[in-house]
Short mmCIF file of all heavy atoms in Angstrom, two decimals:
data_model
loop_
_atom_site.label_atom_id
_atom_site.label_comp_id
_atom_site.label_asym_id
_atom_site.label_seq_id
_atom_site.Cartn_x
_atom_site.Cartn_y
_atom_site.Cartn_z
N GLN Y 1007 -52.02 21.62 192.82
CA GLN Y 1007 -52.13 20.52 193.81
C GLN Y 1007 -51.53 20.94 195.15
O GLN Y 1007 -51.92 20.42 196.18
CB GLN Y 1007 -51.36 19.28 193.24
CG GLN Y 1007 -52.04 18.65 192.06
CD GLN Y 1007 -51.21 17.48 191.56
OE1 GLN Y 1007 -51.27 16.40 192.12
NE2 GLN Y 1007 -50.41 17.64 190.48
N VAL Y 1008 -50.54 21.82 195.11
CA VAL Y 1008 -49.82 22.19 196.33
C VAL Y 1008 -50.58 23.30 197.08
O VAL Y 1008 -50.59 23.36 198.32
CB VAL Y 1008 -48.39 22.67 195.96
CG1 VAL Y 1008 -47.64 23.20 197.24
CG2 VAL Y 1008 -47.58 21.48 195.38
N LEU Y 1009 -51.25 24.17 196.28
CA LEU Y 1009 -51.89 25.36 196.92
C LEU Y 1009 -52.89 25.02 198.01
O LEU Y 1009 -52.89 25.70 199.05
CB LEU Y 1009 -52.56 26.20 195.86
CG LEU Y 1009 -51.62 27.07 194.99
CD1 LEU Y 1009 -52.35 27.88 193.95
CD2 LEU Y 1009 -50.78 28.03 195.85
N PRO Y 1010 -53.68 23.95 197.91
CA PRO Y 1010 -54.57 23.67 199.07
C PRO Y 1010 -53.83 23.46 200.34
O PRO Y 1010 -54.27 23.87 201.43
CB PRO Y 1010 -55.27 22.33 198.65
CG PRO Y 1010 -55.21 22.39 197.17
CD PRO Y 1010 -53.94 23.07 196.80
N PHE Y 1011 -52.65 22.89 200.23
CA PHE Y 1011 -51.81 22.69 201.46
C PHE Y 1011 -51.28 24.05 201.99
O PHE Y 1011 -51.29 24.26 203.18
CB PHE Y 1011 -50.63 21.75 201.15
CG PHE Y 1011 -50.94 20.36 200.87
CD1 PHE Y 1011 -51.34 19.91 199.68
CD2 PHE Y 1011 -50.89 19.45 201.93
CE1 PHE Y 1011 -51.69 18.56 199.46
CE2 PHE Y 1011 -51.22 18.09 201.73
CZ PHE Y 1011 -51.64 17.66 200.44
N VAL Y 1012 -50.89 24.89 201.04
CA VAL Y 1012 -50.39 26.20 201.46
C VAL Y 1012 -51.53 27.03 202.08
O VAL Y 1012 -51.38 27.60 203.17
CB VAL Y 1012 -49.85 26.94 200.21
CG1 VAL Y 1012 -49.42 28.41 200.59
CG2 VAL Y 1012 -48.63 26.24 199.64
N PHE Y 1013 -52.70 27.03 201.43
CA PHE Y 1013 -53.83 27.78 201.97
C PHE Y 1013 -54.25 27.31 203.33
O PHE Y 1013 -54.59 28.09 204.24
CB PHE Y 1013 -55.05 27.64 201.00
CG PHE Y 1013 -54.82 28.34 199.68
CD1 PHE Y 1013 -55.62 28.06 198.58
CD2 PHE Y 1013 -53.84 29.29 199.58
CE1 PHE Y 1013 -55.43 28.72 197.40
CE2 PHE Y 1013 -53.63 29.90 198.33
CZ PHE Y 1013 -54.46 29.62 197.25
N SER Y 1014 -54.24 26.01 203.53
CA SER Y 1014 -54.61 25.42 204.78
C SER Y 1014 -53.68 25.89 205.89
O SER Y 1014 -54.13 26.30 206.95
CB SER Y 1014 -54.52 23.88 204.67
OG SER Y 1014 -54.56 23.28 205.94
N SER Y 1015 -52.38 25.92 205.61
CA SER Y 1015 -51.46 26.39 206.62
C SER Y 1015 -51.52 27.88 206.80
O SER Y 1015 -51.35 28.42 207.89
CB SER Y 1015 -50.03 25.97 206.28
OG SER Y 1015 -49.67 26.48 205.01
N ALA Y 1016 -51.78 28.61 205.73
CA ALA Y 1016 -51.95 30.03 205.80
C ALA Y 1016 -53.09 30.43 206.71
O ALA Y 1016 -53.01 31.41 207.50
CB ALA Y 1016 -52.10 30.67 204.44
N LYS Y 1017 -54.15 29.61 206.58
CA LYS Y 1017 -55.34 29.90 207.45
C LYS Y 1017 -55.02 29.61 208.91
O LYS Y 1017 -55.36 30.35 209.78
CB LYS Y 1017 -56.50 28.99 206.95
CG LYS Y 1017 -57.26 29.61 205.84
CD LYS Y 1017 -58.53 28.86 205.60
CE LYS Y 1017 -58.34 27.59 204.84
NZ LYS Y 1017 -59.61 26.87 204.61
N ALA Y 1018 -54.37 28.48 209.15
CA ALA Y 1018 -54.04 28.12 210.51
C ALA Y 1018 -53.08 29.14 211.09
O ALA Y 1018 -53.10 29.44 212.29
CB ALA Y 1018 -53.43 26.75 210.56
N GLY Y 1019 -52.19 29.63 210.25
CA GLY Y 1019 -51.13 30.56 210.71
C GLY Y 1019 -51.61 31.92 211.05
O GLY Y 1019 -50.97 32.65 211.86
#
Side-chain angles (χ1 to χ4, degrees):
Chain Y
Q1007 294 179 76
V1008 175
L1009 283 179
F1011 289 86
V1012 175
F1013 291 163
S1014 165
S1015 58
K1017 278 193 280 180

